[in-house]
Amino acid sequence: MRNTLFVLAAVAVLAGMAGAADFPIDLNSASLEEIMELPIPPEEAQAIFDYREYRAYFESVYDLMTIEGIDAEDLATLKPLVRIEPVTRDYFAERMSMTQRSIRSWGSSEGSNEALIDLWIDLAKDPPNINTAGLYELMNIQNVSPVDAVAIFNHRDAIGSYRGRRDLRYTPKLSGWGYMNARSLVRYEDTEQRGDIHGWYQVRMKSQAFDSDVDDLLREDLYGAQGVYDSWYDRLDLDRTRPEILQKLSLKYYLTDNVTLRGGLVTWRYGGEENTWEHAKGFAGIEDIKAGPVSIDKIYIGDYLVGFGQGLVMENTEYFKARKSGYSWDKRYYGIHGDISRTEEFKLSGVAVQARWNRFMGIGFYSDDDKDVVLNNDGSAAAYIFLNPTIENDMLREYNLPPMKDALHERTYGGNLRYIIHPGIHIGVSGYESRYNRLFDPQGGKAFIDRFDRITQVDNEILSSYRSPGKFRRVHGLEAMSVYKDFCVQAEYAEMDIDGSLLKLGDDPNAFVASVWAQYNDLNLLALYRDYSLGFDNPYCRGFSNYERFKGTILEDQYYLTDPLYGLVYDNAVAPQAERGIYLSSRYRLTEKIIPRIEYDRWTRVADGATYSRFVGNLEIRLTYPLRFKIRQQFQGRNAENSITPLSYNLTETRLELEMRLSNYDMVEFMYLRGGTEWPPRPRLVGGIDPDGDHPAVGQAFQPSWGLLLNAEHNFSDKFAVSFGALSYNGFVWFFEESEFVAGNKQNSTRFWVSAQDRISDNLWIELKAAYDRGIPVTNLDIRQYNQAYGDDVDADYVVDRDRYFRIQIDYMW
């Protein structure tokens, strides 16, 4: 009774005070001053305010009991003075939270890279409305198969519109995997009104970290004009602390209830470059215009991405993704998109249109841009080369190399036209033509090969590169797709016009990819066949393959080239290698706790007939909440039927993971991996320098690798999280470090990293990351005196690499 009288008296006193708050106050929206007026100590009021701002919104008054210092008596005092109103979070805040949570999953697919993840994130920040999106827009959603997209499209027609996730969950023929991914990547209504403007801005700064092959190439010693040794690393002064900087801006303005204006801008510099605005791209466009019976989906001016079919004719991304099937994590996009990626060598700059009329759907584009190429002595172009880091022509001339930067002027126009027979069934034709200011002529690699005595059969891929009959390149093709019940069949055929007939198939270099997909609630199956002619040298082809073009050729061995810089022709290649083979994959949810996945690929490298096979088996066992146990086993080899040839090898790798998924998205992960690559013994390497029975370490036929990983993430609130990890490894290993794919190849190495993510407000997010790697480089050199016995001390100390890395990223959405 006394407590009740006290509370009533307190309410009366507070209500009578001038400027007093209106009680009961809403703890999810009250200011600090209003909370301070509650009859509790100031430190407790501050704790309540901090909980809401830095941890989470209140869902119940009993959440107060989780705050340090507040007990049952305080709760009884506060109950009649406070209330909890539901919080409707800003739509863009929800998008930011979803996107940041998804980065880890998107980055955890083998072969992912930063450019690929950036593209997924850019698309996810502006998800389609499931009730107005077209069929191919639904197909562009990550991990949503064509069968899933058709199921959503047909069910929407049947019910009128989706009201929310519950309706989506009960869509007939929609797989559980498709639902789990689509539910967070679509919206159900448009809340924007005429005159609204929304957008996002991102700035990212990080240490320069070249791919290991590119780093080796840049550090290759050269004999300079002054009689001293140097390298491109020295010439470009890449040791200076000039971090990589990226800035992106995307804007969307609602001109009317249906028509929108869209624009974007990206600027960046690579590590070591001086000017923050060294590279810049942008676009502007208008979307969703009705012109009588024609619906113009998009018109863009500036830089844009375009893709269709299986990527054989056109897809102008600038990253290579092994085994890009178009399904699951290897999704392809259809259509045109404003380009604010860092695509540079294969960017398209001009105008692009995407439109629909009746059963027809078409894309048309025109581009005018300069490209980097390797030049022959007669001024013709030998091959595309992506100069990253950027090297200006004046510096190239200084070191007696011909100009390469923007040495080719390219005008490209083309398109794709589809006839839609039924939702999910279409046939299409596509093509493009590029006009150049130079001829293309590989000339047997004379422009960059120094040691022609080292040419092997696999170098046929260089010798068969495009030799243009004129100053042009022309590619055309046919593509089709059919979805029937639980199955999807897709195929594309493309030809490069050299001297054959336009109406006759197979008389010019060509490429063919066909796939069959089947999915059920607990099972999916994929079978894919690809076949590339050796002479199908289409720089805009991004079809399925295991390796990029020029893999295994002399371009991998920069010390056999006239200058190591020419190795960038291979190291930055993104087109597929000429392969012929079949790929199979499957995921089966045997029970709720046991999920196996398998991949099998067998193919032939067309250049030399070398045969490859690859098998990867994954088994996930959910022992009991929160434990998950994962096993990954990989076998890969070349020329298994002739294992004594020097070209053969066998690779094995085993990964054991134990993952604990705790509450509030917390996670602890342990991983142990062991593997290695085995080659046939080579007598000239196995013996000692003198025939005394000793043998150097480099003569071994097996190169092992192992690693032990600890990774943890703790969410202090739904706004602030910290993750950290440690890895001890030896040899070549790959792993995922937050959203980044990292490959290491050192001996006796240790790596540590820590990352903090803070959503400072509903619209502002920041990430800080630091990493440190210490290890001995793998050089395959045996440093010893002449005839020194194996096992004796070497005559030189190892040089230990100490690499430090940082990353700062800020995102703002409104």
Side-chain angles (χ1 to χ4, degrees):
M1 179 63 71
R2 285 196 301 270
N3 288 340
T4 303
L5 292 174
F6 172 78
V7 170
L8 292 175
V11 171
V13 171
L14 291 172
M17 293 175 60
D22 294 328
F23 290 95
I25 62 172
D26 175 20
L27 287 182
N28 282 329
S29 61
S31 66
L32 177 59
E33 290 75 15
E34 290 174 321
I35 297 176
M36 283 290 187
E37 293 180 11
L38 293 171
I40 55 175
E43 58 271 17
E44 293 182 10
Q46 183 69 52
I48 292 173
F49 180 81
D50 291 344
Y51 179 96
R52 186 193 71 194
E53 291 298 305
Y54 304 111
R55 184 170 179 181
Y57 288 109
F58 293 98
E59 297 181 2
S60 165
V61 69
Y62 294 100
D63 289 343
L64 291 168
M65 292 294 292
T66 64
I67 300 176
E68 186 177 357
I70 294 186
D71 54 24
E73 185 176 348
D74 293 326
L75 180 62
T77 301
L78 294 173
K79 268 186 177 182
L81 302 176
V82 300
R83 69 183 193 275
I84 306 298
E85 294 292 340
V87 175
T88 303
R89 290 185 58 192
D90 181 82
Y91 167 75
F92 294 96
E94 293 287 356
R95 300 308 317 159
M96 180 177 288
S97 296
M98 184 285 301
T99 302
Q100 302 306 333
R101 286 198 302 267
S102 300
I103 289 175
R104 182 179 179 83
S105 298
W106 292 346
S108 63
S109 59
E110 181 182 354
S112 291
N113 58 48
E114 187 175 59
L116 174 60
I117 295 171
D118 276 352
L119 176 60
W120 289 343
I121 291 174
D122 290 349
L123 295 176
K125 284 179 177 177
D126 186 20
N129 183 332
I130 196 172
N131 291 311
T132 58
L135 177 60
Y136 296 100
E137 197 172 3
L138 295 172
M139 288 185 186
N140 283 340
I141 300 174
Q142 192 61 239
N143 277 309
V144 173
S145 72
V147 177
D148 291 326
V150 170
I152 294 172
F153 189 83
N154 289 336
H155 190 57
R156 184 182 71 191
D157 285 348
I159 65 174
S161 65
Y162 283 95
R163 294 167 297 177
R165 288 188 178 184
R166 182 179 178 87
D167 288 348
L168 182 63
R169 182 66 186 91
Y170 291 102
T171 299
K173 298 294 184 180
L174 176 62
S175 67
W177 182 244
Y179 164 74
M180 289 175 61
N181 289 279
R183 64 185 180 182
S184 298
L185 295 172
V186 298
R187 51 177 168 170
Y188 301 93
E189 60 180 350
D190 292 321
T191 58
E192 298 83 6
Q193 299 178 355
R194 179 183 303 184
D196 286 353
I197 182 169
H198 296 294
W200 55 268
Y201 170 76
Q202 179 186 94
V203 59
R204 181 192 309 160
M205 180 185 298
K206 68 174 188 175
S207 306
Q208 175 65 60
F210 291 110
D211 175 86
S212 59
D213 291 335
V214 175
D215 191 74
D216 289 344
L217 176 155
L218 295 172
R219 294 180 186 275
E220 182 76 18
D221 281 336
L222 300 166
Y223 191 64
Q226 288 74 35
V228 296
Y229 283 96
D230 64 355
S231 67
W232 281 106
Y233 212 89
D234 298 325
R235 294 170 179 178
L236 296 170
D237 198 16
L238 294 177
D239 281 322
R240 287 184 57 186
T241 306
R242 288 175 292 192
E244 180 178 303
I245 299 176
L246 170 76
Q247 297 182 82
K248 286 185 180 183
L249 175 66
S250 177
L251 297 171
K252 188 175 184 181
Y253 175 73
Y254 292 83
L255 188 64
T256 70
D257 291 339
N258 298 314
V259 180
T260 57
L261 301 179
R262 188 187 293 271
L265 176 68
V266 59
T267 69
W268 75 96
R269 78 175 187 195
Y270 296 112
E273 295 179 343
E274 296 280 358
N275 187 4
T276 303
W277 302 73
E278 183 75 25
H279 311 273
K281 293 165 53 179
F283 76 97
I286 187 168
E287 300 177 347
D288 300 323
I289 305 173
K290 293 290 185 180
V294 178
S295 297
I296 302 177
D297 297 330
K298 303 173 183 178
I299 301 177
Y300 290 147
I301 298 174
D303 299 302
Y304 55 87
L305 297 171
V306 61
F308 35 77
Q310 302 299 299
L312 300 186
V313 174
M314 172 60 67
E315 185 180 317
N316 68 315
T317 53
E318 202 162 88
Y319 59 82
F320 175 77
K321 175 69 169 68
R323 299 171 294 281
K324 190 176 180 181
S325 64
Y327 292 93
S328 190
W329 299 111
D330 299 319
K331 174 70 68 173
R332 294 185 182 279
Y333 67 85
Y334 169 80
I336 61 174
H337 301 274
D339 185 10
I340 51 173
S341 71
R342 287 186 295 177
T343 297
E344 187 173 9
E345 175 71 352
F346 298 109
K347 72 175 182 177
L348 295 177
S349 299
V351 61
V353 180
Q354 181 176 317
R356 291 174 288 122
W357 174 71
N358 202 348
R359 290 180 178 269
F360 290 94
M361 187 171 188
I363 294 173
F365 59 90
Y366 172 81
S367 171
D368 192 321
D369 192 38
D370 293 326
K371 310 295 182 184
D372 301 347
V373 292
V374 177
L375 296 180
N376 296 306
N377 289 333
D378 61 3
S380 61
Y384 284 93
I385 182 171
F386 177 25
L387 292 175
N388 176 19
T390 302
I391 305 175
E392 298 298 335
N393 288 328
D394 288 342
M395 176 174 281
L396 293 171
R397 294 188 185 96
E398 180 183 346
Y399 292 100
N400 300 316
L401 292 178
M404 289 184 270
K405 183 68 176 173
D406 295 334
L408 178 75
H409 185 72
E410 176 185 287
R411 291 182 291 114
T412 300
Y413 53 90
N416 170 261
L417 180 64
R418 288 180 171 179
Y419 178 72
I420 301 172
I421 301 170
H422 188 270
I425 303 176
H426 75 256
I427 56 175
V429 295
S430 53
Y432 81 86
E433 179 175 287
S434 291
R435 290 284 175 174
Y436 307 120
N437 63 335
R438 303 175 184 272
L439 290 171
F440 264 87
D441 188 355
Q443 296 187 6
K446 293 180 181 178
F448 44 79
I449 297 176
D450 182 42
R451 295 289 301 277
F452 281 92
D453 58 315
R454 295 294 182 176
I455 290 288
T456 62
Q457 192 174 358
V458 69
D459 294 302
N460 283 329
E461 192 156 34
I462 299 174
L463 306 179
S464 301
S465 295
Y466 181 62
R467 179 177 287 104
S468 59
K471 295 180 179 181
F472 69 89
R473 188 187 316 241
R474 189 181 299 126
V475 181
H476 52 84
L478 304 171
E479 52 107 1
M481 182 181 75
S482 177
V483 174
Y484 177 72
K485 293 185 176 180
D486 300 313
F487 298 87
C488 178
V489 179
Q490 297 188 75
E492 183 175 17
Y493 175 82
E495 275 194 359
M496 178 175 292
D497 187 11
I498 302 293
D499 54 9
S501 169
L502 180 65
L503 301 179
K504 184 178 180 180
L505 301 181
D507 59 346
D508 276 325
N510 56 77
F512 176 68
V513 172
S515 65
V516 179
W517 169 270
Q519 74 174 40
Y520 306 93
N521 280 335
D522 299 317
L523 172 69
N524 63 53
L525 300 163
L526 172 65
L528 184 147
Y529 175 78
R530 80 279 197 183
D531 187 352
Y532 299 93
S533 296
L534 189 59
F536 187 75
D537 182 12
N538 177 10
Y540 293 103
C541 176
R542 303 295 180 267
F544 181 100
S545 71
N546 258 275
Y547 293 124
E548 60 268 61
R549 190 168 178 83
F550 303 126
K551 171 70 175 177
T553 68
I554 198 170
L555 285 167
E556 270 197 287
D557 303 323
Q558 64 266 17
Y559 37 82
Y560 292 149
L561 306 179
T562 54
D563 191 283
L565 200 62
Y566 290 123
L568 293 175
V569 173
Y570 160 71
D571 286 319
N572 287 334
V574 290
Q577 186 161 58
E579 300 175 354
R580 182 183 302 113
I582 188 168
Y583 169 80
L584 305 171
S585 73
S586 178
R587 178 184 184 271
Y588 180 43
R589 188 173 65 174
L590 188 62
T591 69
E592 288 288 342
K593 297 184 177 181
I594 302 177
I595 304 176
R597 290 183 294 115
I598 61 169
E599 292 179 79
Y600 177 73
D601 197 3
R602 185 169 179 83
W603 74 98
T604 299
R605 185 168 61 190
V606 177
D608 62 348
T611 58
Y612 290 79
S613 63
R614 177 180 181 271
F615 172 84
V616 177
N618 291 272
L619 179 62
E620 181 176 333
I621 303 175
R622 302 175 181 179
L623 302 171
T624 181
Y625 183 82
L627 295 179
R628 296 189 181 195
F629 181 64
K630 299 178 183 180
I631 305 174
R632 183 185 186 276
Q633 181 64 55
Q634 176 176 349
F635 300 101
Q636 183 169 326
R638 179 173 62 199
N639 288 343
E641 67 280 1
N642 187 11
S643 59
I644 62 173
T645 175
L647 296 178
S648 69
Y649 74 85
N650 286 297
L651 179 150
T652 61
E653 184 186 78
T654 303
R655 290 176 177 242
L656 305 176
E657 295 183 52
L658 180 63
E659 188 176 288
M660 291 181 285
R661 296 191 176 184
L662 309 175
S663 60
N664 198 32
Y665 295 102
D666 287 358
M667 181 273 300
V668 178
E669 176 189 16
F670 299 92
M671 182 184 71
Y672 174 72
L673 68 92
R674 178 171 287 276
T677 305
E678 181 180 13
W679 293 272
R682 301 185 185 185
R684 66 184 179 87
L685 294 179
V686 173
I689 293 179
D690 284 340
D692 57 2
D694 295 320
H695 59 278
V698 294
Q700 65 182 357
F702 185 78
Q703 182 171 336
S705 62
W706 62 265
L708 184 62
L709 170 74
L710 166 65
N711 190 28
E713 179 178 348
H714 176 57
N715 291 272
F716 291 89
S717 69
D718 63 351
K719 297 182 179 181
F720 180 69
V722 172
S723 56
F724 58 90
L727 173 71
S728 177
Y729 68 97
N730 190 78
F732 177 80
V733 301
W734 57 268
F735 59 98
F736 301 99
E737 197 174 274
E738 302 305 313
S739 61
E740 296 176 296
F741 179 83
V742 179
N745 189 16
K746 295 181 180 179
Q747 303 176 61
N748 305 321
S749 180
T750 54
R751 183 179 178 92
F752 305 93
W753 67 93
V754 60
S755 174
Q757 305 92 34
D758 190 1
R759 198 176 75 237
I760 297 174
S761 69
D762 281 347
N763 302 82
L764 181 62
W765 182 88
I766 184 169
E767 178 189 15
L768 305 173
K769 177 183 174 183
Y772 173 77
D773 196 318
R774 180 190 183 279
I776 301 170
V778 176
T779 63
N780 294 320
L781 297 177
D782 181 35
I783 305 172
R784 57 184 179 143
Q785 289 180 340
Y786 177 76
N787 204 30
Q788 178 182 345
Y790 171 70
D792 289 354
D793 292 335
V794 296
D795 302 305
D797 294 331
Y798 289 112
V799 178
V800 177
D801 275 351
R802 293 178 175 87
D803 298 322
R804 297 166 181 83
Y805 173 86
F806 78 90
R807 174 188 173 109
I808 302 172
Q809 180 172 322
I810 300 173
D811 289 87
Y812 182 73
M813 298 180 68
W814 68 93

